Amino acid sequence: RSAFTSITQSFNLNPRGLLLETDSKSLRSMNGSRRNSGSSLVSSSSASSNLSHLEEDSWILWGRIVNEWEEVRKKKEKQLKDQVRKGVPHHFRAIVWQLLCNAQNMPIKDQYSELLKMTSPCEKLIRRDIARTYPEHEFFKEKDSLGQEVLFNVMKAYSLVDREVGYCQGSAFIVGLLLMQMPEEEAFCVFVKLMQDYRLRELFKPSMAELGLCMYQFECMIQEQLPELHMHFQAQSFHTSMYASSWFLTIFLTSFPLPVATRIFDIFMCEGLEIVFRVGMAILQMNQTELIQLDMEGMLQHFQKVIPHQFGSGPDKVIQAAYQVKYNAKKMKKLEKEYTTIKTKEMEEQVEIKRLRTENRLLKQRIDTLEKESASLADRLIQGQVTRAQEAEENYLVKRELATVKQQSEEASAQLEQARKTISELQQQQQQQQPQAESVMQLERELVQARLKEAESQCALKEMQDKVLDMEKRNTSLPDDTNVARLQEELIGVKLREAEAVTGLKELRQQVRDLEEHWQRHVARTAGRWKESPKKNTLSELQDELMSVRLREAEAQAELREARQRIMELETQNQIQSNQLRRSEQENRCLHEREQSLTVQNKDLHVELKEIKRRQAEIECKSKEEVMAVRLREADNIAAMAELQQQISELEIEKEEGKVQGHLNHTDSSQYIRDLRDQITELKHEVRAISSIINSAEQNDLLMMGHFT
């Protein structure tokens, strides 16, 4: 009290007068800017009537700070931070928060009334969430109350000012807290400042990139300062965003009771998001023992139901613990750069993955096209082989038919020559014997028929020669093939059939010769037919008829032989075609089997490649885990060593204080000093033991790294 009195005397101010003057100014500013909102705070008269001496001193000090704000902000920033950490008085929060964020005279305040007349695309979302914001608070509890109306106005106005962010659900709690302290126009200005200058706008953007950065930085702090708890979170797959995202989005307004959250918000207005990191780490340190024993569901229940009720006595405990947390601003900047690099790499990897997927799709399409082309080429190749085999068989058949026609032509020529000789002989005999006119006419008819057959044979021979020439031309354009070797067996069978046909033809020729000899003998016998008696002439006629019957029988047998020969040729051709079809089917099956075997082999190779990659990834992951475990053990040992050293220093300080202040009597002091010395000795032994453990761990780490290398 004497210190505060000296401060007021140095400024020549009456403490009570300063209090009333400051309070009246702040209230006038609030009531003047609220217009018709009706959400003014408790009056200064009712509040000041119940002030204790400590509260009076606090009001005096904050009144001076507000009156001399510029000087205090520039020259006594550290003292200002200390006072904010101790708490801003309730009636000073409106003006102090505006001064801390420099939101007193913002040009956008004049646009507020115009913004309320406009229509926002986020109005339905805002209306839906209004009733969920502080549902138990008197100011916002009633539906369509003044509190809900002014909250809707501020959120709507900001969604029109910042259309990129628009409306985000967690921001309503911050605006609601501002409206508990000040009118809606001033709350709107302060909220705009918070979004612009306190990183909240980046947190509430649709991408929430800043929230991801905060989660990354907070998780790194946990890994560094609470490694055992971090390993438990990792083992339970309990991600940081599952419990800490609301801390950053609402500055603990949805996690703690309102008095505690308001004290934290005081510090946030002065120091920014650093207090969120500190308070979050303090909460985890205070609850580390309980959290390690719980599973994921139990930890969620602990964060939701146990932690909010731990600070019912007041926020001083958690704030004091928060400022015992190690917070390095340079390291946070380094983590921010690391996070930016990681996100950049992830974006590049996503772009690369999209590119690879596109290339993979194009390659699959190309593979399908090539497979179709390959199948088409295989079909064309098989068809070409079949066509070449058919043409070779046709060529062979045509040659054989040509040989047969040539042979028939030679036989017909020989028969024609023989018939000519017979005709010439008969003509000579006709000159001698007129009665043989009928036989001559018959022979002439046979001669005409023979000539017709010869002409037909010549035509057929010419056609066959043309066909042979055409086939030879086609064969010259075709490549050599192994089909000739395959047709040797069929050729042997054809030759056997041809031999049988030749044998039958020889038999027919022998019959013709026998008939010709018989005919000669008959002519010799009938030379004197007209000189003999009529009975003998009748007998001769019967013999002639018999001879003609035998000749017709021979012709019928020859035709039968020809028909059988044709049937044999057709059977041979059918067998050749069947063999060719069977060979083509076998080749097709072989090609399909080969294709299937290649496909199976390709799949096996792909499976083997995937297995090798998986094994390699497992080996790399195992090596990384082992290295990380060694490093974690080393970090635990270092932390334990640091804690022990700190305990030693604290015990030494307590020893010195006990000696200086003399709080204990002589016997108790000496006993206390001996106990402290024993503890110091034990702690030094533990430090030496931990040092030896750290050295052995480092050696093991080096050996392990050499093994991995």
Side-chain angles (χ1 to χ4, degrees), residues 199 202-204 207-217 241 244-246 248-249 339:
R199 295 170 61 184
E202 301 299 324
L203 285 174
F204 289 121
S207 61
M208 289 191 173
E210 191 72 13
L211 181 61
L213 172 60
C214 293
M215 294 297 101
Y216 179 75
Q217 292 173 331
S241 59
S245 58
S246 62
F248 288 89
L249 290 174
Y339 181 78

Side-chain angles (χ1 to χ4, degrees), residues 460-669:
L461 179 62
K462 189 173 181 180
E463 290 178 358
M464 290 296 176
Q465 288 176 351
D466 294 337
K467 192 172 182 180
V468 167
L469 291 174
D470 187 18
M471 295 299 294
E472 287 178 353
K473 288 180 181 179
R474 292 171 63 185
N475 287 333
T476 54
S477 61
L478 293 173
D480 295 334
D481 200 355
T482 58
N483 291 328
V484 176
R486 296 179 180 178
L487 296 174
Q488 287 180 355
E489 296 179 358
E490 299 175 1
L491 182 60
I492 292 171
V494 171
K495 286 183 178 180
L496 290 175
R497 293 188 183 90
E498 186 177 359
E500 292 177 358
V502 170
T503 304
L505 185 60
K506 287 181 180 179
E507 292 177 357
L508 287 174
R509 287 178 179 175
Q510 185 64 35
Q511 289 181 4
V512 170
R513 283 196 296 271
D514 293 341
L515 288 174
E516 287 179 351
E517 291 176 357
H518 191 273
W519 174 256
Q520 293 295 332
R521 288 194 299 269
H522 173 69
V523 171
R525 284 197 306 270
T526 58
R529 176 186 302 176
W530 302 105
K531 297 179 181 180
E532 294 178 356
S533 63
K535 292 181 179 180
K536 291 183 177 180
N537 291 332
T538 304
L539 182 60
S540 298
E541 290 177 359
L542 292 173
Q543 290 177 352
D544 292 338
E545 290 179 0
L546 179 61
M547 183 59 64
S548 62
V549 169
R550 288 179 178 177
L551 288 172
R552 285 194 296 272
E553 183 181 0
E555 291 177 356
Q557 289 179 356
E559 290 177 357
L560 180 62
R561 292 281 184 179
E562 290 179 358
R564 289 178 179 176
Q565 181 68 22
R566 185 63 180 169
I567 289 170
M568 291 175 66
E569 291 175 357
L570 292 174
E571 290 177 353
T572 302
Q573 186 176 1
N574 187 15
Q575 186 177 2
I576 291 170
Q577 291 178 354
S578 299
N579 292 334
Q580 183 63 29
L581 181 61
R582 186 174 63 255
R583 285 195 298 274
S584 63
E585 289 177 354
Q586 291 177 355
E587 291 177 357
N588 193 9
R589 284 196 299 271
C590 291
L591 289 173
H592 281 294
E593 291 175 358
R594 185 177 179 185
E595 181 182 3
Q596 292 177 357
S597 64
L598 290 174
T599 304
V600 173
Q601 186 177 3
N602 191 12
K603 290 181 179 179
D604 294 338
L605 290 174
H606 279 295
V607 172
E608 186 176 357
L609 179 60
K610 290 181 179 178
E611 182 65 21
I612 291 171
K613 289 182 178 179
R614 185 184 64 78
R615 290 177 182 174
Q616 183 178 3
E618 288 179 355
I619 292 170
E620 291 178 356
C621 183
K622 187 176 180 181
S623 64
K624 290 180 180 179
E625 289 177 356
E626 290 177 354
V627 172
M628 184 60 69
V630 171
R631 291 180 179 175
L632 287 174
R633 288 196 296 272
E634 182 181 355
D636 292 338
N637 294 330
I638 292 172
M641 182 177 177
E643 290 178 358
L644 291 173
Q645 289 178 351
Q646 186 177 359
Q647 290 179 7
I648 290 171
S649 61
E650 289 177 356
L651 290 173
E652 290 178 350
I653 291 171
E654 289 179 2
K655 173 185 173 182
E656 295 297 330
E657 289 178 353
K659 287 181 179 180
V660 174
Q661 294 177 2
H663 291 299
L664 302 172
N665 55 26
H666 181 70
T667 57
D668 294 338
S669 177

Side-chain angles (χ1 to χ4, degrees), residues 9-68:
Q9 289 176 356
S10 64
F11 280 88
N12 295 321
L13 293 174
N14 184 0
R16 180 67 63 180
L18 176 60
L19 170 64
L20 295 177
E21 181 183 357
T22 305
D23 192 21
S24 61
K25 287 182 180 179
S26 62
L27 291 176
R28 282 199 301 272
S29 63
M30 288 188 288
N31 293 327
S33 58
R34 182 179 296 275
R35 299 194 303 185
N36 295 324
S37 63
S39 59
S40 61
L41 303 172
V42 181
S43 64
S44 61
S45 60
S46 61
S48 60
S49 62
N50 297 322
L51 290 177
S52 64
H53 293 293
L54 183 60
E55 290 174 342
E56 288 180 4
D57 295 338
S58 177
W59 276 60
I60 293 169
L61 180 60
W62 277 104
R64 176 189 167 221
I65 290 172
V66 171
N67 285 329
E68 303 292 336

Side-chain angles (χ1 to χ4, degrees), residues 138-151:
E138 292 294 333
F139 191 47
F140 302 101
K141 183 167 63 175
E142 298 295 332
K143 185 178 180 182
D144 298 329
S145 63
L146 180 61
Q148 291 189 3
E149 188 62 29
V150 294
L151 179 59

Side-chain angles (χ1 to χ4, degrees), residues 236-251:
Q236 295 292 329
S237 298
F238 193 61
H239 302 292
T240 309
S241 59
M242 297 173 68
Y243 62 91
S245 58
S246 62
W247 294 353
F248 288 89
L249 290 174
T250 63
I251 320 298

